[in-house]
Amino acid sequence: MTGTPGVGKTSHAELLAQSTGLKHLSINQIVKERSCRERWDDALQTWIVDEDKLLDVIEDEMKSGGYIIDWHACDLFPRNWIDLVVVLRTDSTNLYDRLKARGYPEDKLQENLDSEIMEVVAEEAREAYDEDCVVELWSRTVEEMEGNVERVEQWVQNWRTDNLGHRESGPASEKNS
């Protein structure tokens, strides 16, 4: 689950974890809890992530499978960890309002708006993963979010049928969505 900050990744991931039995892995939480930070960026008011350390600290979890990875970037994750990349999108007005409500400083807010307008996250996903495992979904309204969750639930169900031969939660060896 990826997209520009403010598009609804965490909301989607939490709902999907509840409905599918997959585990929600919030990379923001991992970065904080396991100290995967390089330095603080004053201009953007954010931590710069040590991506190598991040990958090292989650590698064992990823091997067990069954995770929904929630972060604003996806291209750093090895292809064999990923079965589906959901890129959430929203319009500039929604994104501006959401980020302003979070108290983002102007520089950080503008960088994220530019990123969404230029489709940076979507392009990174398309470049890093096979075309058939990247899907872009709009996340402007609660109704769209509910529809997205239903669509991904169906994808998970189909994946389980195709790869595990059943429609249950699946064993720990189930790969990540």
Side-chain angles (χ1 to χ4, degrees):
M1 192 70 53
T2 193
T4 306
V7 296
K9 297 177 299 294
T10 300
S11 298
H12 279 77
E14 288 173 353
L15 288 171
L16 283 164
Q18 290 172 3
S19 66
T20 63
L22 296 172
K23 295 165 272 198
H24 175 202
L25 187 68
S26 168
I27 298 301
N28 284 336
Q29 268 186 310
I30 297 292
V31 167
K32 291 174 191 168
E33 293 171 1
R34 301 185 195 177
S35 301
C36 300
R37 306 169 180 161
E38 288 182 1
R39 63 181 167 75
W40 178 256
D41 184 315
D42 282 327
L44 297 176
Q45 296 292 294
T46 192
W47 287 100
I48 303 302
V49 174
D50 181 338
E51 293 179 355
D52 290 331
K53 182 175 182 180
L54 170 65
L55 293 174
D56 287 344
V57 302
I58 65 172
E59 184 174 12
D60 288 341
E61 290 163 283
M62 294 296 96
K63 286 179 184 176
S64 70
Y67 284 90
I68 300 167
I69 302 171
D70 164 7
W71 205 34
H72 63 270
C74 64
D75 57 342
L76 70 147
F77 301 111
R79 288 181 185 194
N80 64 340
W81 288 7
I82 306 297
D83 292 304
L84 177 68
V85 179
V86 176
V87 181
L88 295 174
R89 306 289 312 278
T90 195
D91 59 69
S92 299
T93 302
N94 271 328
L95 188 60
Y96 179 87
D97 292 344
R98 292 172 186 176
L99 297 179
K100 196 72 169 168
R102 290 182 180 183
Y104 273 38
E106 195 59 38
D107 287 350
K108 188 174 180 178
L109 195 149
Q110 192 58 54
E111 179 185 56
N112 284 299
L113 283 170
D114 291 346
S115 177
E116 182 65 17
I117 291 166
M118 301 298 287
E119 300 184 15
V120 171
V121 178
E123 185 60 32
E124 288 173 353
R126 288 189 293 265
E127 288 176 7
Y129 301 99
D130 294 336
E131 183 180 325
D132 62 341
C133 81
V134 177
V135 62
E136 293 180 51
L137 301 174
W138 285 98
S139 176
R140 296 168 291 208
T141 65
V142 171
E143 293 78 21
E144 284 180 338
M145 182 175 66
E146 291 168 351
N148 294 342
V149 168
E150 288 174 10
R151 183 173 175 184
V152 176
E153 286 170 345
Q154 185 62 55
W155 184 92
V156 169
Q157 194 173 64
N158 292 341
W159 186 95
R160 287 175 170 153
T161 299
D162 294 346
N163 294 278
L164 305 173
H166 58 78
R167 294 185 178 271
E168 300 169 14
S169 294
S173 62
E174 183 174 13
K175 288 183 73 180
N176 303 298
S177 297

